[in-house]
Amino acid sequence: MRTLSMTLLLAALLSGCSETPGGSKPPSEEPLPSGSPVPTGPPNVPEFQPAFPGQTRAPAIQTKMALQVTELASGFRNPWAIAFLPDQRMLVTEKPTGSLYLVTPQGAKSPAVAGLPPVDGRGQGGLLDVEVGPDYAQSGLIYWTYYEPRQGGNGLAVARAKLVEGAQPRVEGVQVIFRMMPTLASTLHAGGRLVFTPDGKLFVTLGERSVLEGRVQARDVRSHFGKVVRINPDGTVPRDNPFVNTEGARPEIWSVGHRNILAAALDGQQRLWTVEMGPRGGDELNRPEMGKDYGWPTIGYGEEYSGAPIHQSPQGPGMEQPVYYWDPVMSPSGMTIYTGDLFPEWRDNVFIGGLSSQALVRLMMRNDRVVGEERLLTDLRARIREVVQGPEGALYLLTDDTNGRLLKLTPR
């Protein structure tokens, strides 16, 4: 009865909706999913109840189309990110080694690109995201994030350089355009996703470094820890950022109060969506808005890995609620909002790589709310680190393993 009542409440809440996160109108006759959620086990913090119907444990849904998984390449050591070049070749990063490769659509892999700066590859560090610059056809610029070794510790950095192709590809003219500050001795929680916007800005997601010294800075605008930042492609600060006139604040900050964001994408309305790692319980889907506070570590839906409490309440004044949360966690990494034609039933759905859940997580959206959830590719028994949409509408995935694989998902 509890599931049924939540479904009816959600239907009432969404009855007047007209748009999905992708910006298109859903068929008015299409009923909302109903029924039991994806089986995940009991919550770690059952006393924390959702703030609104449908905020967690949405009804399970099932893709109708048969799927085909094709392995394009393997042998990557814990790969982290994929970016497509204009000719449909891919850039693929290898986290602990700091190596970057070019991969053809058929899976042929280049030698490691020369000229990248050294990385701190311990723990969750290394070479992380990579993106092709919006003006790549003219500039040849690519952008990447990495744990930068520093005196006294490390920190996430964003660099850009011109990609020079050939038998031995290389980058030249490396510029570090952003450095997470302050420096801290931690191998955890630096975030690292890059998202370009159509107006020429660049979002960078940042974690709070996990250790207590970093965690307590997640809501402090004097620190980059636990933030989404917004910069220009040359690293300068947009004049309309929310904290540019706040004394002592880091002017790059867009939003605050995040734990560790490893998934980010724009929807069809060009709005930023993110998925961040919770502790034991409390992974979150958010739509970070300018200047808003998402509450970590003051509020949340999880607990310490030891089982000790973190939050007195999952809600608090002046702090935003997640659009959706998971307890138990699915361990998100990598994200895309589908806009292609190969999978019509997936249009405007959110896809997230699942690490501990060993799944590709699909979310059906309606009016900025999750109305259905599916766990795909669980038979692979693989940690999904990255998911991107290819130029032809296929989904491309990376598995997180010492023999990581590049996979292509198409209709069968």
Side-chain angles (χ1 to χ4, degrees), residues 116-136:
L116 274 72
V119 305
D120 184 343
R122 299 172 299 154
Q124 296 174 2
L127 178 61
L128 304 178
D129 208 2
V130 61
E131 288 292 340
V132 175
D135 63 346
Y136 179 83

Side-chain angles (χ1 to χ4, degrees), residues 47-67:
E47 61 270 28
F48 286 174
Q49 293 296 302
F52 53 84
Q55 194 185 19
T56 191
R57 297 179 182 256
I61 54 177
Q62 186 171 357
T63 295
K64 300 182 180 70
M65 185 177 294
L67 305 177

Side-chain angles (χ1 to χ4, degrees), residues 160-180:
R160 69 177 185 176
K162 183 177 181 180
L163 179 64
V164 180
E165 300 190 41
Q168 173 54 71
R170 69 185 191 278
V171 292
E172 61 180 27
V174 175
Q175 297 175 289
V176 177
I177 61 169
F178 173 81
R179 286 185 167 96
M180 167 196 272

Side-chain angles (χ1 to χ4, degrees), residues 33 66 73 91 110 144 286 290 366 379:
L91 297 170
S110 74
W144 66 92
N286 287 299
M290 177 186 285
R366 189 76 62 85
D379 57 315

Side-chain angles (χ1 to χ4, degrees), residues 282-297:
D283 290 348
E284 294 184 0
L285 171 70
N286 287 299
R287 187 168 66 81
E289 296 184 75
M290 177 186 285
K292 292 192 175 181
D293 181 352
Y294 291 81
W296 176 264

Side-chain angles (χ1 to χ4, degrees), residues 77-82 92-96 123-125 127-129 191 193 260-264 277 330-336 351-360 382-388 396-401 404-405 407:
R77 185 177 171 191
N78 301 102
W80 212 88
I82 303 168
V92 177
T93 62
E94 202 174 67
K95 184 178 76 67
Q124 296 174 2
L127 178 61
L128 304 178
D129 208 2
R193 290 291 175 185
N260 191 30
I261 302 174
L262 300 181
M277 288 264 193
M330 41 77 83
S331 304
S333 182
M335 175 184 186
T336 194
F351 289 86
I352 308 158
L355 295 171
S356 66
S357 54
Q358 297 188 342
L360 178 63
R383 291 164 53 88
I384 306 298
R385 170 63 74 181
E386 169 74 309
V387 52
V388 300
Y396 291 76
L397 316 172
L398 292 173
T399 64
D400 179 42
D401 193 273
R405 296 179 291 162
L407 306 176

